[in-house]
Structure formats: C-alpha cells, structure tokens
Amino acid sequence: MQHVAEIAVHSFLRDVLDGKASMPAPVIAEVAADVQEALNKQFQDDAKKREFKLRMSNIGRPTCQLWFDKNEPEDKAPFPPHFLMNMIIGDIVEAVFKGLLRAADVEFKDNDKVTLELSNGTKINGEYDMIMDGKVDDVKSASPWSYNNKFSSFETLATGDSFGYIPQLVGYATAAGMDVGGWWVVNKANGEFKYVDAGGVDTPAVLEEIEATVSYINEDKPFERCFEAVPESHYRKPTGNLKLGVECGFCQFKHKCWPDLQTLPAVKSTAKNPPEVDYVFVDPQYLQEGDDG
C-alpha cells in the first residue's frame, strides 16, 4: 500500500507534466537554500578532518569497522574522488524530494538535531531528516540495485543492514521522542521513489544492540572480526576459493582486517570483462591457469 504522501507527490508531478501545476517560488528558494547548505557542508565543514566519535550515522555499523576507525585510523583506505560527488548527489536528492513534498502540500517537520542518552550516560548526537505524522523518516538515495533489492521491504533491509540504517533511524526516533517511521528511497538512476515502512522494527532490541556497540567501543575491548570469509561458487559449484561477504565489500579497513586479501577478476568467469572479487584465499590452480593464459 502506498503512503498517502507518496500518492500526493505522484499527483503533483503528473499535474506539472500536464501543465496544471508548478512549484511555488518560495519552495524553489528553500530547495536552493538546502542545496547551498549541503555544498557548504560537503566542501567546507566536512572537508576538515574530524576525530572519531560515535554518532547516530555510524552507530549501526559493524563493530569491527568502528574499532579500526577509533584505534587504527591511519590504516583506513581513502575514498575515491567520486565518493564526494556521490555524497552531494544524495544531499541534492534529499533537498529536491523535500521540495516536492512541500509543493504537494504534504506537512512535515524538517530536519533537527537530537541527542540519544544511553543507560550508561553516553550521549549520541545526530540529525534526523524529517518527522511526518508523528514518526521520524529518513531520506535515502539509492542505486538501482539497492532500490530494487535492499530497499524492497523492511524485512529485506534487516537481513543485510551493513550501513546501519535501522539503528540510525531507531536512534533518531528515540532521541526525538517519536515513533519510528521509515525511509523515503529515491532511485538515483531514474528518479522513481517509494516509502519503506519500518513499522515492524523491534525498537527495544535495536536499542540493546546500540548499547552493546557503545560498550564495546568505549571500553576499548580487544578487536574481534564480525564476519568470516564465504566460499565462492560458480554455477552453484564450489570453486575452493574464499571471498569477502557483501558486508565487507565497502569497508575501508578490509585490507587491514584481511592481510592476504587479493582483488582479482573472478577466476572462473568466462566473461570478456569479469567482475572483480575480493579473495581471501585462491586455490593455486587458478593462479597458475592465469599465469599460463
């Protein structure tokens, strides 16, 4: 079932295409101001190196990644230059989407800073995107794959939430004293959008996970890897190789965590441009075949 605000925005966009509506000038000005603020944030404020601290935006990430971020930040692989472009695209998408909500006469409370105080007195700061109908919502821009797979439902997201979107949203809502809403997800490739309701979340359980993460990081406990390598298969047949799971693929500490890691073209692929795979172990026979070929 579509969210009522989703229907309202679709209706507004249809009216614009049919020449029956336009975006009011004050709304356009507000979108422009939000984009300007995002540019300042990405290219001035955030350009300055920040010291590690637990924030609402990282509190749901794997503890092994947070441990490295705190204790061995010098081993962090740098982001590629286009990462910054991707971040600003996400900010622009959020600004424009909020403009569409306003133009469609959808009422919501805009972003605000909040603080989540845990049972041990630790305070986690963050800034939610919006409150609508008494619930905290987040706006996410997504690749086509993430839009169709990761964000297909709350249940699907919960099975592979390596970026910590669920703890982030629960943290925002709890700190704001509001219910958990969901995510407004925009496909960066074609502009389609949808609402993913997080109504099925177990808030007490997620808050327990947040408490455990804070305890692990703040008490400087010994490093523990959260994930193991997974067996590689080719047409459902094991190759004998081991590779990183999807949870580790975007981690900037993967080479530190796995010293023998090799990023190679898929060794069994016959494609002209085989996909690259992060291998933890490669059966020597495949490396010899590559040398002979």
Side-chain angles (χ1 to χ4, degrees):
M1 181 181 296
Q2 285 185 310
H3 193 291
V4 290
E6 188 177 354
I7 297 172
V9 173
H10 275 293
S11 178
F12 169 73
L13 291 172
R14 170 48 55 194
D15 285 346
V16 171
L17 290 172
D18 292 342
K20 299 176 181 178
S22 61
M23 183 175 283
V27 174
I28 293 175
E30 196 159 1
V31 171
D34 286 345
V35 171
Q36 181 177 7
E37 182 179 348
L39 288 168
N40 287 330
K41 176 176 178 291
Q42 295 293 351
F43 290 96
Q44 293 185 353
D45 299 340
D46 282 6
K48 302 171 184 177
K49 188 174 181 180
R50 296 186 299 179
E51 291 185 2
F52 172 83
K53 67 177 180 179
L54 291 172
R55 307 180 304 277
M56 217 80 81
S57 58
N58 68 11
I59 196 65
R61 290 181 180 268
T63 52
C64 50
Q65 184 182 128
L66 293 173
W67 190 96
F68 276 125
D69 228 346
K70 178 184 179 181
N71 296 288
E72 299 183 13
E74 67 277 3
D75 293 312
K76 190 174 189 176
F79 285 119
H82 65 261
F83 171 80
L84 190 55
M85 177 66 81
N86 190 51
M87 294 298 291
I88 196 62
I89 288 173
D91 290 336
I92 293 171
V93 166
E94 178 183 337
V96 173
F97 186 75
K98 287 181 176 179
L100 291 174
L101 289 172
R102 294 185 178 100
D105 294 324
V106 175
E107 294 184 1
F108 67 93
K109 182 179 183 295
D110 209 348
N111 55 295
D112 198 6
K113 294 180 180 179
V114 291
T115 299
L116 176 66
E117 186 166 353
L118 303 178
S119 60
N120 63 359
T122 300
K123 295 181 179 180
I124 308 296
N125 298 320
E127 185 173 359
Y128 63 74
D129 285 345
M130 68 172 70
I131 294 176
M132 187 184 299
D133 298 327
K135 300 177 182 180
V136 175
D137 288 342
D138 218 355
V139 181
K140 298 294 183 188
S141 57
S143 67
W145 187 92
S146 292
Y147 185 89
N148 292 315
N149 295 279
K150 177 179 288 189
F151 286 105
S152 61
S153 67
F154 168 75
E155 290 73 22
T156 303
L157 176 61
T159 62
D161 187 24
S162 56
F163 289 104
Y165 294 145
I166 295 173
Q168 181 184 21
L169 187 63
V170 168
Y172 288 146
T174 303
M178 297 287 177
D179 291 334
V180 177
W183 298 270
W184 290 100
V185 189
V186 182
N187 187 329
K188 289 185 287 188
N190 62 14
E192 62 182 329
F193 60 91
K194 62 185 174 183
Y195 185 72
V196 179
D197 195 331
V201 69
D202 186 341
T203 295
V206 174
L207 289 174
E208 284 185 13
E209 293 175 9
I210 292 175
E211 296 262 8
T213 294
V214 170
S215 174
Y216 177 79
I217 297 301
N218 285 353
E219 294 176 15
D220 292 321
K221 295 181 179 180
F223 174 77
E224 291 184 13
R225 185 187 287 154
C226 299
F227 309 102
E228 295 300 325
V230 297
E232 180 192 46
S233 296
H234 184 68
Y235 289 109
R236 299 185 180 181
K237 294 183 179 179
T239 64
N241 303 323
L242 296 175
K243 63 179 184 177
L244 292 187
V246 294
E247 302 89 352
C248 303
F250 293 101
C251 180
Q252 292 174 275
F253 296 100
K254 61 185 179 182
H255 286 280
K256 175 67 176 180
C257 192
W258 301 91
D260 297 325
L261 186 68
Q262 301 180 76
T263 302
L264 304 169
V267 295
K268 288 288 288 182
S269 175
T270 57
K272 182 178 180 180
N273 296 303
E276 290 195 332
V277 177
D278 287 327
Y279 287 108
V280 173
F281 170 78
V282 181
D283 191 306
Q285 65 171 310
Y286 299 115
L287 296 178
Q288 292 170 359
E289 288 175 3
D291 294 339
D292 294 342

Short mmCIF file of all heavy atoms in Angstrom, two decimals, residues 4 7 64 66 81 96 104-105 128 131 136 142 154 172 174 184 196 233 237 241 245-246 292:
data_model
loop_
_atom_site.label_atom_id
_atom_site.label_comp_id
_atom_site.label_asym_id
_atom_site.label_seq_id
_atom_site.Cartn_x
_atom_site.Cartn_y
_atom_site.Cartn_z
N VAL A 4 0.29 7.91 1.84
CA VAL A 4 -0.54 8.98 1.31
C VAL A 4 0.32 10.12 0.73
O VAL A 4 -0.06 10.76 -0.26
CB VAL A 4 -1.50 9.53 2.39
CG1 VAL A 4 -2.57 8.50 2.72
CG2 VAL A 4 -0.74 9.94 3.64
N ILE A 7 1.44 9.22 -2.76
CA ILE A 7 0.37 9.46 -3.73
C ILE A 7 0.28 10.95 -4.06
O ILE A 7 0.12 11.35 -5.22
CB ILE A 7 -0.97 8.94 -3.19
CG1 ILE A 7 -0.91 7.42 -3.00
CG2 ILE A 7 -2.12 9.31 -4.13
CD1 ILE A 7 -2.12 6.83 -2.29
N CYS A 64 33.59 -4.15 14.21
CA CYS A 64 34.98 -4.31 13.77
C CYS A 64 35.42 -3.07 12.98
O CYS A 64 36.56 -2.59 13.11
CB CYS A 64 35.16 -5.57 12.95
SG CYS A 64 33.98 -5.80 11.60
N LEU A 66 34.12 0.00 13.32
CA LEU A 66 34.22 1.09 14.27
C LEU A 66 35.49 0.99 15.10
O LEU A 66 36.12 2.00 15.43
CB LEU A 66 32.99 1.10 15.19
CG LEU A 66 31.65 1.44 14.52
CD1 LEU A 66 30.51 1.24 15.51
CD2 LEU A 66 31.64 2.87 14.00
N PRO A 81 37.87 9.74 -5.40
CA PRO A 81 37.37 11.12 -5.56
C PRO A 81 35.87 11.20 -5.83
O PRO A 81 35.20 12.13 -5.37
CB PRO A 81 38.19 11.64 -6.74
CG PRO A 81 39.46 10.86 -6.69
CD PRO A 81 39.05 9.49 -6.24
N VAL A 96 15.62 18.19 -3.05
CA VAL A 96 14.57 18.24 -4.07
C VAL A 96 13.34 17.45 -3.63
O VAL A 96 12.20 17.89 -3.83
CB VAL A 96 15.10 17.73 -5.42
CG1 VAL A 96 13.97 17.61 -6.44
CG2 VAL A 96 16.20 18.64 -5.95
N ALA A 104 3.55 19.57 -2.91
CA ALA A 104 2.36 18.71 -2.93
C ALA A 104 1.51 18.90 -1.68
O ALA A 104 0.57 18.14 -1.45
CB ALA A 104 2.79 17.25 -3.06
N ASP A 105 1.87 19.92 -0.86
CA ASP A 105 1.11 20.25 0.35
C ASP A 105 1.13 19.13 1.39
O ASP A 105 0.16 18.92 2.12
CB ASP A 105 -0.34 20.62 0.02
CG ASP A 105 -0.45 21.90 -0.79
OD1 ASP A 105 0.37 22.82 -0.55
OD2 ASP A 105 -1.32 21.98 -1.68
N TYR A 128 18.08 14.09 12.40
CA TYR A 128 17.12 13.35 11.58
C TYR A 128 16.70 14.19 10.37
O TYR A 128 16.88 15.40 10.33
CB TYR A 128 15.91 12.91 12.40
CG TYR A 128 15.08 14.03 13.00
CD1 TYR A 128 14.24 14.80 12.19
CD2 TYR A 128 15.11 14.30 14.35
CE1 TYR A 128 13.46 15.82 12.72
CE2 TYR A 128 14.33 15.33 14.90
CZ TYR A 128 13.51 16.08 14.08
OH TYR A 128 12.75 17.09 14.61
N ILE A 131 10.11 14.63 10.33
CA ILE A 131 9.05 13.98 11.09
C ILE A 131 7.75 14.19 10.33
O ILE A 131 7.39 15.32 10.00
CB ILE A 131 8.92 14.56 12.51
CG1 ILE A 131 10.17 14.24 13.34
CG2 ILE A 131 7.68 14.00 13.21
CD1 ILE A 131 10.16 14.85 14.73
N VAL A 136 9.46 9.55 12.74
CA VAL A 136 10.71 10.01 12.15
C VAL A 136 10.98 9.22 10.88
O VAL A 136 10.99 7.99 10.88
CB VAL A 136 11.88 9.85 13.13
CG1 VAL A 136 13.20 10.22 12.46
CG2 VAL A 136 11.67 10.73 14.35
N ALA A 142 19.41 5.88 -3.64
CA ALA A 142 19.89 4.51 -3.78
C ALA A 142 20.22 4.19 -5.23
O ALA A 142 19.62 4.73 -6.16
CB ALA A 142 18.84 3.52 -3.26
N PHE A 154 11.20 -3.68 4.56
CA PHE A 154 11.94 -3.58 5.80
C PHE A 154 12.64 -4.89 6.12
O PHE A 154 13.79 -4.92 6.57
CB PHE A 154 11.01 -3.19 6.96
CG PHE A 154 11.65 -3.34 8.32
CD1 PHE A 154 12.59 -2.41 8.74
CD2 PHE A 154 11.34 -4.41 9.14
CE1 PHE A 154 13.21 -2.55 9.98
CE2 PHE A 154 11.95 -4.55 10.37
CZ PHE A 154 12.88 -3.62 10.80
N TYR A 172 17.39 8.04 16.05
CA TYR A 172 16.76 9.34 15.81
C TYR A 172 15.39 9.41 16.47
O TYR A 172 15.06 10.40 17.15
CB TYR A 172 16.59 9.58 14.31
CG TYR A 172 17.84 9.87 13.53
CD1 TYR A 172 17.99 9.42 12.22
CD2 TYR A 172 18.88 10.61 14.08
CE1 TYR A 172 19.13 9.69 11.49
CE2 TYR A 172 20.03 10.88 13.35
CZ TYR A 172 20.15 10.42 12.06
OH TYR A 172 21.29 10.69 11.34
N THR A 174 14.00 7.57 18.87
CA THR A 174 14.03 7.50 20.33
C THR A 174 14.49 8.82 20.92
O THR A 174 13.91 9.32 21.90
CB THR A 174 14.96 6.36 20.79
OG1 THR A 174 14.52 5.13 20.22
CG2 THR A 174 14.96 6.25 22.30
N TRP A 184 12.19 7.21 2.90
CA TRP A 184 11.81 7.66 1.57
C TRP A 184 13.02 7.39 0.68
O TRP A 184 14.07 8.00 0.86
CB TRP A 184 11.46 9.15 1.57
CG TRP A 184 10.18 9.43 2.29
CD1 TRP A 184 10.03 9.89 3.56
CD2 TRP A 184 8.86 9.25 1.77
NE1 TRP A 184 8.69 10.01 3.88
CE2 TRP A 184 7.95 9.62 2.79
CE3 TRP A 184 8.35 8.81 0.54
CZ2 TRP A 184 6.57 9.57 2.62
CZ3 TRP A 184 6.97 8.76 0.37
CH2 TRP A 184 6.10 9.14 1.39
N VAL A 196 9.45 2.99 2.37
CA VAL A 196 9.66 1.69 3.00
C VAL A 196 9.37 1.83 4.49
O VAL A 196 10.11 2.50 5.21
CB VAL A 196 11.11 1.19 2.79
CG1 VAL A 196 11.32 -0.16 3.47
CG2 VAL A 196 11.43 1.09 1.30
N SER A 233 31.27 -19.81 -5.23
CA SER A 233 30.66 -20.83 -6.10
C SER A 233 30.59 -20.30 -7.52
O SER A 233 30.50 -19.08 -7.74
CB SER A 233 29.24 -21.18 -5.61
OG SER A 233 29.28 -21.77 -4.34
N LYS A 237 28.56 -24.51 -8.06
CA LYS A 237 29.60 -25.48 -7.71
C LYS A 237 30.73 -24.76 -6.98
O LYS A 237 31.25 -23.74 -7.47
CB LYS A 237 30.14 -26.17 -8.96
CG LYS A 237 29.12 -27.05 -9.66
CD LYS A 237 29.75 -27.76 -10.87
CE LYS A 237 28.73 -28.65 -11.58
NZ LYS A 237 29.33 -29.34 -12.76
N ASN A 241 37.67 -21.53 -3.45
CA ASN A 241 38.18 -20.22 -3.05
C ASN A 241 37.31 -19.61 -1.96
O ASN A 241 36.15 -19.97 -1.80
CB ASN A 241 38.19 -19.26 -4.25
CG ASN A 241 38.99 -19.82 -5.41
OD1 ASN A 241 40.02 -20.46 -5.22
ND2 ASN A 241 38.53 -19.55 -6.63
N GLY A 245 32.41 -11.43 2.22
CA GLY A 245 30.97 -11.30 2.08
C GLY A 245 30.61 -9.87 1.72
O GLY A 245 31.44 -8.96 1.78
N VAL A 246 29.36 -9.66 1.37
CA VAL A 246 28.92 -8.33 0.94
C VAL A 246 29.06 -7.30 2.06
O VAL A 246 29.24 -6.10 1.79
CB VAL A 246 27.46 -8.37 0.44
CG1 VAL A 246 27.35 -9.20 -0.83
CG2 VAL A 246 26.52 -8.92 1.52
N ASP A 292 49.51 -19.10 -17.05
CA ASP A 292 49.70 -19.80 -18.33
C ASP A 292 48.93 -19.14 -19.46
O ASP A 292 49.32 -19.22 -20.62
CB ASP A 292 49.22 -21.26 -18.20
CG ASP A 292 50.11 -22.05 -17.22
OD1 ASP A 292 51.23 -21.59 -16.95
OD2 ASP A 292 49.63 -23.09 -16.71
#
